[in-house]
């Protein structure tokens, strides 16, 4: 796909797996953030085409402020979650969701949907 992606994921092993999958899919990972604060900073300053956002950061914080910032910037994103995605459908009905543990094909399809608008 040849696009630049921001990853916000608090689990280091999941982040590494995700980064490998993205590279295999032809993406360039511009930054990996593990906390809300670093994710917000990257979302404000980095140049990227799409983001993958872990919904639950650190067990207590949600990535929703990052998603809202990306919406304002017009940058598409994909949510990654190990929980029931139905709560996301109300607030972010157009955001693709990948359920953890996810497969490369699921990630590819969600990213293609996000980038298609």
């Amino acid at each position: 796909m040849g696009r630049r992606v921001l990853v916000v994921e608090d689990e280091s092993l999941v982040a590494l797996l995700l980064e490998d999958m993205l590279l295999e899919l032809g993406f360039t990972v511009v930054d990996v953030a593990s906390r809300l604060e670093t994710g917000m900073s990257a979302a404000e300053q980095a140049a990227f085409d799409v983001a993958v956002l872990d919904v639950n950061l650190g067990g207590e914080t949600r990535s929703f402020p990052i998603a809202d910032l990306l919406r304002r910037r017009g940058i598409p994103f994909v949510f990654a979650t190990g929980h029931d995605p139905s709560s996301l459908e109300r607030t972010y009905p157009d955001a693709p969701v990948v359920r953890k543990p996810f497969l490369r094909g699921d990630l590819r399809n969600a990213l293609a949907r996000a980038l298609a608008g």
Side-chain angles (χ1 to χ4, degrees):
M1 292 184 173
R3 300 283 183 105
R4 297 163 298 164
V5 62
L6 166 66
V7 173
V8 179
E9 170 61 58
D10 65 334
E11 296 287 335
S12 58
L13 290 176
V14 174
L16 288 171
L17 174 67
L18 183 55
E19 191 170 3
D20 285 346
M21 283 185 181
L22 289 164
L23 293 172
E24 289 173 6
L25 292 170
F27 285 87
T28 299
V29 177
V30 297
D31 200 355
V32 178
S34 61
R35 296 185 0 236
L36 179 63
E37 297 80 20
T38 54
M40 287 293 289
S41 178
E44 289 173 342
Q45 299 173 13
F48 56 95
D49 303 300
V50 64
V52 178
L53 307 176
D54 181 10
V55 172
N56 191 9
L57 300 173
E60 298 177 11
T61 305
R62 306 271 185 205
S63 62
F64 300 153
I66 301 170
D68 294 338
L69 173 61
L70 294 175
R71 270 186 173 172
R72 290 190 299 273
R73 288 191 63 195
I75 297 173
F77 55 88
V78 171
F79 281 120
T81 185
H83 302 285
D84 180 12
S86 62
S87 64
L88 298 171
E89 294 169 358
R90 288 185 292 270
T91 309
Y92 303 96
D94 297 329
V97 178
V98 178
R99 300 259 337 236
K100 294 178 183 180
F102 46 85
L103 302 172
R104 184 175 40 238
D106 296 336
L107 179 61
R108 180 189 63 237
N109 293 341
L111 287 164
R113 184 172 154 223
L115 289 164

